Amino acid sequence: MSFNDVVRLLNNLQDQGILSYLPQTDQPQLQYIRARVDLLHIDIDVKYIELRKKIQTDQINAVLAYAGKAECRSIQLLTYFDEPDSEKCGVCDICLAEKKLKIWISYLIR
């Protein structure tokens, strides 16, 4: 492994709070901030991981629902922020598609 790769990995470990790395003094120095835990004694908070998974799943589903709903984007956002009686914006993709459809219908009726 190259010197630059090692330095990059050490900086990454420092960013994660695993160790403290002091680069390029007389000799580089490492100091572990936390004791190293082997695989048999690692403590994983399963409830916390499941909660984070649920939160992320809910967030993804909310974005998909927002994108998949054929309602003015502005109305959707304002309803989310407890302003349900807002008017259509007229400039989002949904409003523009409705305008285009009305133009086509009026053209076909003539």
Side-chain angles (χ1 to χ4, degrees):
M1 185 178 286
S2 74
F3 175 80
N4 290 333
D5 289 340
V6 171
V7 170
R8 183 178 45 77
L9 291 172
L10 290 172
N11 284 322
N12 187 6
L13 290 172
Q14 179 170 309
D15 292 342
Q16 294 178 38
I18 295 173
L19 55 83
S20 172
Y21 172 58
L22 303 172
Q24 294 292 325
T25 56
D26 291 358
Q27 292 188 2
Q29 300 174 6
L30 291 177
Q31 179 180 13
Y32 285 93
I33 296 172
R34 294 185 266 163
R36 183 172 180 215
V37 180
D38 63 7
L39 188 59
L40 295 175
H41 296 93
I42 194 165
D43 184 26
I44 298 174
D45 188 350
V46 176
K47 287 182 181 178
Y48 176 75
I49 291 172
E50 289 301 320
L51 175 64
R52 293 299 309 152
K53 269 188 191 178
K54 183 185 179 325
I55 289 170
Q56 286 183 334
T57 301
D58 291 346
Q59 289 173 339
I60 290 169
N61 288 335
V63 169
L64 292 174
Y66 171 79
K69 199 170 185 181
E71 181 182 16
C72 172
R73 305 297 181 199
S74 182
I75 290 176
Q76 287 187 67
L77 289 173
L78 290 170
T79 301
Y80 176 81
F81 290 108
D82 294 327
E83 294 185 33
D85 299 327
S86 57
E87 295 182 16
K88 291 183 178 183
C89 67
V91 293
C92 71
D93 61 323
I94 301 297
C95 290
L96 293 176
E98 285 179 4
K99 285 180 184 178
K100 191 182 284 187
L101 182 61
K102 285 179 185 176
I103 291 170
W104 274 104
I105 290 173
S106 66
Y107 176 76
L108 292 174
I109 292 174
R110 289 184 193 179

